[in-house]
Each structure stands twice: as C-alpha cells, then as structure tokens.
Amino acid sequence: MPNNPGGACPAVFRSSEPGGGYYFQGKIVEGHQVPNGQALVWLPESMTEIIREACRIHPANGMYADVETRDIAWIGRVDDGFHAQGVIVADPEILAKIAADSPILADELVVWLPESATDAIVEACDVRSVV
C-alpha cells in the first residue's frame, strides 16, 4: 500500500506462475468462523485500485474454472475496505518473498486465493455493498 511506513502491509501479490492465484496480506479478522486452514484478513478501501491492478496482470482465462472458489476463497466489501478469506500461507519460501517486499506484522496473515477467484475479486472492487 502506498505511503505505508516501512512498507508494511497490507499488500496483494500475484503469483508469477500461471494459475498461481493471489496472496492477500492483511490484518486478521477475529470472530468469524472459517474452515480449518483458512483465515479472514482485512484490507483497507484505499487498496481498491491496487487489487484491481493485480487482477489485470494475468486475467483469468478459464483454465481453473473447475476449482470451486466458494469452498476455498471469498472476498467481499465491508464499510472500510475488504475482507478476503483464503487458505493460510505457511510455506516459508513464499512468506520470505512476501516479507521482503512487505514485512508481515504480528497481527497479520497471508492468505491465498486461487486464480478462479479473479472475477469475484474484481466484482468486490466494483460493488459498494456492506457484508
């Protein structure tokens, strides 16, 4: 996020591998039940264009349409930004790459959303609804 002291979160990263999906780094949202291995993170409203740009880098091409996005990922608007639910990223190599660009703070997590979530991500950026 621009103008964030120390380059710390929140952040969105697009995997460099085709079909690799998205990594959302944000503050942990407590009090919501999510499946094991998943978490809900918050990103501010000011990230809207950054999130859209991540979706433009390699637009979804339908190759991963067989993945049932609702089972492993969700993103929606809230009054002050976005909630993104995805698989908690635990791979030390991936986390090290992310932390090199955006330090991961103690109250934050990185979650992964699949390539098939691209349309839902763009829709969340375009829709002004409160969850």
Side-chain angles (χ1 to χ4, degrees):
M1 187 171 105
N3 304 319
N4 206 15
C9 105
V12 176
F13 297 90
R14 184 70 183 255
S15 177
S16 58
E17 292 115 31
Y22 305 86
Y23 298 103
F24 284 81
Q25 176 186 346
K27 289 191 177 195
I28 302 166
V29 178
E30 303 286 346
H32 289 78
Q33 190 161 356
V34 295
N36 281 342
Q38 294 190 28
L40 190 66
V41 297
W42 172 83
L43 291 94
E45 177 76 24
S46 59
M47 295 277 301
T48 303
E49 283 306 313
I50 294 166
I51 294 168
R52 278 192 185 115
E53 184 59 28
C55 292
R56 284 187 203 112
I57 293 172
H58 304 289
N61 58 12
M63 289 175 51
Y64 300 91
D66 58 328
V67 176
E68 185 57 45
T69 305
R70 286 182 303 266
D71 292 343
I72 59 172
W74 175 85
I75 184 168
R77 282 311 262 268
V78 291
D79 57 355
D80 59 350
F82 300 90
H83 281 174
Q85 177 187 322
V87 176
I88 298 170
V89 177
D91 183 315
E93 196 172 305
I94 293 170
L95 291 173
K97 287 179 183 178
I98 289 170
D101 286 329
S102 180
I104 302 168
L105 305 178
D107 63 345
E108 298 173 348
L109 277 177
V110 176
V111 296
W112 174 82
L113 280 72
E115 186 76 18
S116 60
T118 301
D119 290 341
I121 295 167
V122 171
E123 184 177 321
C125 288
D126 293 342
V127 175
R128 304 281 305 162
S129 63
V130 175
V131 294

